[in-house]
């Protein structure tokens, strides 16, 4: 029996290999796109509400491109993309999904240029490691080929690249392709169930006692980062208020950003490989419904009611944000669906204090970050604390206490049929 076909859209990011001249051309386009956004924002705030329309904004953009010569380095299609993105930002604001769009500063804005038409890219594969892509008003550019793309004879109406976006980070320029493919719907995954506890010391602890570790920076890189941060703090303290950032300080900032971007790239790669392996092995993946924004709030408090252990809480907040639990859950969700599985969320309170063997919460059982010893006299179970929490997460799912979305909020719903717990 043939499986039904379904469309899937995804993005693929690849590193560009640019010459210095090509870097300058793309930088000029990115600055022109940022300036176009700021001009649109000024136009929006000055024009009366009754005269704000897409047609009027388009006419203003065309007039600006005629009067300001250096805006012409931005292709016309990219300028139209800036206009559509700006209006979509206001639509998201009106519907309560985001804040109002604002002015884009030169140093605090991620530089990017959109290539909305896929036919303009003209992608070809040179050999196993490299491909070539056409960038409007720049020319042919090499990019790192790390994923099979629907190009050439493999491209058709259902399998094609619909566009791309050029994005710059501290490691250089990258191209993010927008890909749409038609593929067979996956069969239901017959794999086992697994509970996952997310932590800082152990990023992912599974209920079957397996763990995953990741190291994003070497000891040498950590020492270099610490030295650069101290150097930046010293140079910042020597700068007078109101003075511009010196070239030495800006160079130090760039080195810090490069180290952190390298660590983030390694962490993202580790997340992709780990979540893909979990999605292939397990049919049902159960995680906690973590309120990460609340967990990483500052402990400073107020002047009348100052917080306690502020420095320790700040360090914990940085560690939690560095693990990117939300990104891991997002990857698990769409990868489980691709392999025929599912991801479920259960309530988070009590999973780390409850004994997974007897089910009781006894004070003092969580003896350290890594050790759990049940203080119940009738139990006495001991083991790894993260493994204990992962087993509790899986038990909550088997009891039917799963979170579902209802009217825009998460509620607990007990399933009608409770799956029996397997023997440990």
């Amino acid at each position: 029996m043939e499986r039904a076909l379904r469309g899937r859209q995804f993005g693929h990011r690849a590193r560009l290999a640019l010459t210095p001249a090509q870097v300058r051309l793309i930088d000029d386009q990115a600055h022109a796109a940022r300036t176009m956004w700021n001009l649109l924002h000024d136009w929006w705030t000055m024009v009366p509400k009754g005269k704000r329309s897409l047609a009027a904004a388009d006419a203003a953009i065309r007039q600006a491109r005629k009067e300001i010569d250096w805006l012409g380095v931005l292709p016309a299609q990219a300028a139209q993309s800036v206009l559509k993105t700006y209006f979509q930002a206001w639509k998201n604001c009106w519907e309560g999904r985001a804040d109002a769009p604002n002015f884009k500063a030169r140093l605090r804005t991620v530089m990017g240029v959109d290539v909305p038409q896929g036919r303009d890219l003209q992608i070809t594969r040179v050999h196993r490691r490299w491909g070539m892509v056409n960038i409007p008003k720049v020319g042919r550019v090499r990019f790192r080929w790390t994923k099979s793309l629907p190009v050439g004879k493999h491209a058709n109406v259902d399998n094609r690249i619909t566009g791309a976006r050029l994005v710059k980070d501290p490691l250089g320029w990258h191209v993010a392709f927008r890909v749409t493919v038609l593929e067979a719907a996956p069969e239901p995954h017959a794999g086992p169930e697994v509970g996952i506890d997310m932590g800082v010391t152990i990023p992912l602890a599974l209920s079957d006692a397996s763990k995953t570790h990741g190291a994003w920076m070497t000891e040498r890189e950590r020492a270099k980062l610490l030295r650069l941060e101290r150097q930046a703090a010293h140079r910042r303290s020597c700068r007078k208020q109101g003075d511009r950032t010196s070239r030495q300080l800006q160079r130090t900032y760039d080195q810090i950003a490069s180290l952190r971007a390298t660590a983030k790239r390694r962490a993202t790669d580790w997340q992709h490989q780990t979540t893909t392996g979990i999605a292939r092995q397990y049919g049902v993946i159960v995680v906690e419904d973590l309120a990460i924004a609340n967990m990483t709030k500052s402990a400073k408090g107020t002047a009348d009611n100052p917080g306690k252990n502020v420095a320790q809480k700040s360090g914990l907040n940085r560690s939690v944000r560095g693990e990117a639990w939300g990104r891991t859950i997002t990857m698990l969700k769409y990868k489980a669906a691709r392999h025929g599985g599912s991801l479920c969320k259960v309530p988070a309170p009590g999973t780390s204090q409850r004994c997974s063997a007897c089910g009781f919460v006894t004070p003092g059982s969580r003896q350290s970050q890594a050790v759990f010893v049940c203080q119940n006299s009738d139990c006495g179970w001991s083991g790894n604390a993260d493994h204990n929490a992962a087993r509790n997460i899986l038990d909550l799912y088997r009891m039917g206490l799963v979170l579902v979305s209802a009217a825009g909020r998460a509620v607990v719903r007990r399933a009608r049929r409770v799956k029996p717990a397997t023997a440990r």
Side-chain angles (χ1 to χ4, degrees):
M1 180 178 179
E2 295 184 357
R3 289 180 290 172
L5 299 177
R6 66 176 185 180
R8 182 170 70 93
Q9 296 180 346
F10 63 94
H12 172 61
R13 181 165 168 156
R15 175 166 53 91
L16 293 175
L18 303 173
T19 64
Q22 291 173 337
V23 170
R24 287 192 296 269
L25 289 174
I26 301 180
D27 283 346
D28 291 343
Q29 289 191 15
H31 286 303
R34 181 185 58 85
T35 304
M36 188 73 70
W37 174 284
N38 292 335
L39 291 175
L40 270 173
H41 189 64
D42 291 339
W43 175 85
W44 181 274
T45 54
M46 291 187 297
V47 172
K49 291 184 178 180
K51 296 183 179 181
R52 297 173 182 171
S53 65
L54 188 63
D58 181 55
I61 282 182
R62 295 177 184 273
Q63 186 66 24
R65 285 171 58 84
K66 292 179 181 179
E67 296 178 355
I68 305 175
D69 295 337
W70 56 271
L71 286 180
V73 300
L74 186 67
Q77 294 290 340
Q80 292 295 318
S81 180
V82 173
L83 173 62
K84 294 178 181 178
T85 304
Y86 184 78
F87 269 73
Q88 183 63 41
W90 274 114
K91 184 178 179 181
N92 295 337
C93 174
W94 296 331
E95 296 177 359
R97 296 193 298 267
D99 295 332
N102 208 339
F103 180 85
K104 289 190 175 183
R106 181 183 180 90
L107 297 178
R108 296 191 301 272
T109 301
V110 178
M111 299 178 66
V113 182
D114 202 45
V115 185
Q117 300 292 339
R119 62 174 179 268
D120 295 336
L121 299 172
Q122 302 175 15
I123 301 172
T124 57
R125 186 170 186 176
V126 179
H127 52 76
R128 184 171 63 90
R129 294 180 179 271
W130 293 97
M132 296 289 289
V133 59
N134 183 69
I135 299 177
K137 295 196 174 185
V138 176
R140 302 292 288 174
V141 175
R142 291 195 309 158
F143 70 92
R144 189 73 172 176
W145 191 284
T146 57
K147 186 181 181 66
S148 178
L149 297 173
V151 297
K153 63 180 181 180
H154 302 289
N156 51 47
V157 177
D158 299 321
N159 301 275
R160 58 194 176 95
I161 295 177
T162 59
R165 182 169 178 81
L166 309 178
V167 183
K168 188 177 184 180
D169 65 6
L171 298 177
W173 279 99
H174 297 74
V175 56
F177 297 110
R178 293 187 288 269
V179 187
T180 177
V181 295
L182 188 66
E183 59 185 14
E187 296 180 352
H189 201 302
E193 304 161 349
V194 66
I196 300 179
D197 177 66
M198 300 184 185
V200 175
T201 306
I202 300 177
L204 297 179
L206 278 61
S207 57
D208 59 2
S210 60
K211 304 173 185 177
T212 57
H213 298 272
W216 323 136
M217 300 182 72
T218 62
E219 292 296 332
R220 187 175 180 179
E221 289 172 336
R222 291 194 187 97
K224 182 179 179 180
L225 179 61
L226 180 60
R227 176 177 59 81
L228 290 172
E229 288 177 340
R230 289 176 175 173
Q231 191 178 77
H234 174 70
R235 289 175 176 170
R236 218 169 25 240
S237 64
C238 297
R239 186 182 61 177
K240 296 181 180 179
Q241 187 176 4
D243 290 351
R244 295 184 61 182
T245 303
S246 64
R247 292 184 179 179
Q248 289 183 337
L249 181 56
Q250 189 59 50
R251 189 181 305 112
T252 305
Y253 284 155
D254 293 341
Q255 291 176 322
I256 293 173
S258 178
L259 279 174
R260 290 178 175 171
T262 300
K264 181 180 178 181
R265 183 177 61 181
R266 292 171 183 166
T268 305
D269 179 69
W270 175 86
Q271 284 178 314
H272 273 294
Q273 295 188 31
T274 304
T275 53
T276 299
I278 293 175
R280 287 174 177 172
Q281 183 177 358
Y282 300 99
V284 178
I285 304 170
V286 190
V287 297
E288 296 175 290
D289 183 44
L290 298 173
I292 302 175
N294 295 335
M295 295 172 61
T296 56
K297 282 185 177 180
S298 174
K300 288 184 178 180
T302 60
D304 298 332
N305 187 18
K308 298 180 180 179
N309 300 325
V310 178
Q312 296 178 6
K313 184 63 167 63
S314 299
L316 178 62
N317 290 347
R318 285 193 297 270
S319 299
V320 171
R321 287 193 292 265
E323 293 299 331
W325 294 340
R327 187 168 62 208
T328 301
I329 293 174
T330 301
M331 290 181 182
L332 285 172
K333 184 176 181 180
Y334 77 78
K335 290 182 180 182
R338 280 191 61 194
H339 292 85
S342 61
L343 181 133
C344 301
K345 294 183 179 181
V346 297
T351 54
S352 59
Q353 286 82 25
R354 186 184 305 111
C355 176
S356 59
C358 64
F360 285 94
V361 178
T362 309
S365 296
R366 183 70 181 266
Q367 297 187 352
S368 67
Q369 186 67 25
V371 179
F372 186 95
V373 179
C374 182
Q375 300 300 311
N376 184 8
S377 58
D378 297 332
C379 179
W381 183 87
S382 63
N384 182 269
D386 297 317
H387 176 213
N388 175 73
R391 288 172 31 141
N392 284 326
I393 292 170
L394 182 58
D395 287 341
L396 288 177
Y397 167 77
R398 288 171 174 170
M399 292 166 56
L401 296 177
V402 297
L403 291 175
V404 296
S405 178
R409 66 183 188 278
V411 297
V412 179
R413 176 174 296 173
R414 185 180 293 275
R416 294 182 179 179
R417 296 183 62 183
V418 179
K419 294 187 177 182
T422 57
R424 295 191 177 94

